[in-house]
Amino acid sequence: MSPLQLKTPYFLIDEHKLLRNLEIAKYLKELSGVKLLLALKCFATWGVFDIIKPYLDGTTSSGPFEVKLGYETFGGETHAYSVGYSEDDVRDITDICDKFIFNSQSQLKTYRHMVAGKASLGLRLNPGVSYAGQDLADPARQFSRLGVHADKIDPEVFTSLNGVMFHMNCENKDVDAFVALLNVISDKFGNYFDALDWVSLGGGVFFTWPGYNIEKLASALKAFGMHYDLQLYLEPGEAIITQTTDLVVTIVDIVENDMKTAIVDSCTEAHRLDTLIYNEPAFIKESTENGKHTYVIGSCSCLAGDQFCVANFEEPLEVGQRLHILDSAGYTMVKLNWFNGLRMPSVYCQRTNGYIQLLNAFDYQDFKRSLSQWSVN
Ligand SMILES: Cc1ncc(COP(=O)(O)O)c(C=O)c1O
């Protein structure tokens, strides 16, 4: 099947590009001894996990259903973490996870007895420093609830802990900045590490970015792990699926109100939410930097400010033309919603042999069911 025969909107995951990222991940593991867990919060399209599994060690999660999904569809090591567990959550997942990481000392104290003997016990610590572009995504922002801050640690907790987790990076492409954070962690928390078996350094390290100095990252990780005699983990999401997937849309109308807007059959609020939340414009494959024809690529939702980007094109755009919205895998499919009752994008994977495999498709019944299954009468 040719991509032109597929109905838009759809996501197209390119296996070849995914394998490129995974080979880099494998190289990092080999050089450093670090274990890598796929962060399901970023990407959980389990239909392609058979491609990813041979390269990574397992999954990490941010809620109970992600734990179950990782266990069922990925295997390997299953790490459970949540900012807040209920007692039911703890009961549901203790038997299927390898590491159980609490966000606070109070949760650890309350539920430790339910986990002990079943999973390795962990606690998230907050180093108070971070590398994050936006305050909304900064784990070290003022009053952060994410992890235990250094001055609040009760050293007693380390007598029953097996490991700790830090997460303090967001799309960090600067290896020196990462190493500096690692040094802060050593200084602030190093005296606790002797009692531990493992430390997870979280996600947000963009080691698949072109030109990233993998060797430097690997040697810093290796030295850290050896110094404290720890198994180190990273929890990459975006680094694994970056630049692998297009959201393909069709222009359904062009309107002009001082500026030309091409309206496409998708929207950021439902299909690419982070474009809106973080106000970070998308990139369109067909655009060129100096093209003479400038358009707003506008969404078909009712939200006035819902647009993908402003882009330049060599030729005027036309109704019926397709556009490829680049780099649309991370934090997109996991956040899809039915706002406005728009058609939900299908999900495909283009295999290395060219074959296009359908992974997911949605229809009106999925929309209806998401709203109610039973009526009051
Ligand atoms: C605890 C934790 N681990 C891993 C990740 C994955 O981060 P990324 O997709 O930027 O690699 C996140 C992202 O927020 C996180 O909070």
Side-chain angles (χ1 to χ4, degrees), residues 131-300:
Y131 184 103
Q134 296 203 26
D135 186 58
L136 180 64
D138 182 356
R141 76 207 290 260
Q142 198 181 19
F143 314 126
S144 175
R145 72 194 187 292
L146 303 176
V148 184
H149 296 232
D151 60 341
K152 297 288 186 304
I153 290 178
D154 169 5
E156 261 299 290
V157 297
F158 285 91
T159 56
S160 63
L161 275 184
N162 305 105
V164 293
M165 186 265 272
F166 298 90
H167 171 72
M168 64 271 171
N169 289 283
C170 188
E171 299 198 4
N172 185 352
K173 298 163 186 151
D174 178 348
V175 69
D176 294 320
F178 177 78
V179 174
L181 289 175
L182 210 50
N183 291 336
V184 172
I185 285 179
S186 270
D187 292 346
K188 280 195 181 174
F189 304 98
N191 54 329
Y192 298 122
F193 292 162
D194 286 341
L196 303 179
D197 304 323
W198 55 268
V199 166
S200 173
L201 296 164
V205 185
F206 224 147
F207 56 81
T208 48
W209 194 253
Y212 191 97
N213 191 336
I214 296 273
E215 291 78 9
K216 197 167 189 177
L217 173 67
S219 77
L221 292 171
K222 193 170 179 178
F224 186 96
M226 282 172 67
H227 181 73
Y228 294 108
D229 192 20
L230 291 165
Q231 175 59 56
L232 281 191
Y233 291 86
L234 288 178
E235 306 176 358
E238 194 68 60
I240 300 300
I241 44 71
T242 184
Q243 306 291 343
T244 62
T245 299
D246 297 343
L247 171 58
V248 186
V249 298
T250 299
I251 299 170
V252 293
D253 196 10
I254 294 174
V255 295
E256 185 167 357
N257 295 294
D258 297 332
M259 221 177 152
K260 285 186 177 146
T261 298
I263 298 174
V264 301
D265 57 353
S266 174
C267 78
T268 69
E269 193 165 22
H271 305 158
R272 208 176 190 282
L273 192 57
D274 281 7
T275 315
L276 190 62
I277 293 180
Y278 294 106
N279 194 21
E280 284 179 350
F283 290 95
I284 309 290
K285 188 174 162 190
E286 290 77 9
S287 70
T288 56
E289 205 180 326
N290 300 315
K292 299 218 167 8
H293 305 274
T294 302
Y295 292 81
V296 174
I297 305 303
S299 305
C300 63

Side-chain angles (χ1 to χ4, degrees), residues 284-348:
I284 309 290
K285 188 174 162 190
E286 290 77 9
S287 70
T288 56
E289 205 180 326
N290 300 315
K292 299 218 167 8
H293 305 274
T294 302
Y295 292 81
V296 174
I297 305 303
S299 305
C300 63
S301 84
C302 65
L303 180 69
D306 189 346
Q307 63 184 49
F308 287 93
C309 58
V310 175
N312 303 321
F313 298 84
E314 295 298 325
E315 301 292 335
L317 296 180
E318 287 173 14
V319 171
Q321 186 176 342
R322 290 180 175 211
L323 297 176
H324 293 71
I325 301 168
L326 296 171
D327 200 15
S328 295
Y331 301 97
T332 55
M333 290 169 236
V334 290
K335 294 190 179 189
L336 290 172
N337 67 71
W338 288 103
F339 185 56
N340 277 198
L342 301 180
R343 284 181 199 283
M344 187 65 85
S346 314
V347 183
Y348 293 91

Side-chain angles (χ1 to χ4, degrees), residues 84-104:
Y85 290 109
S86 69
E87 189 173 332
D88 282 347
D89 293 340
V90 178
R91 194 172 299 111
D92 280 356
I93 59 179
T94 33
D95 289 324
I96 57 169
C97 66
D98 299 280
K99 309 245 185 324
F100 204 114
I101 303 165
F102 290 99
N103 184 61
S104 71

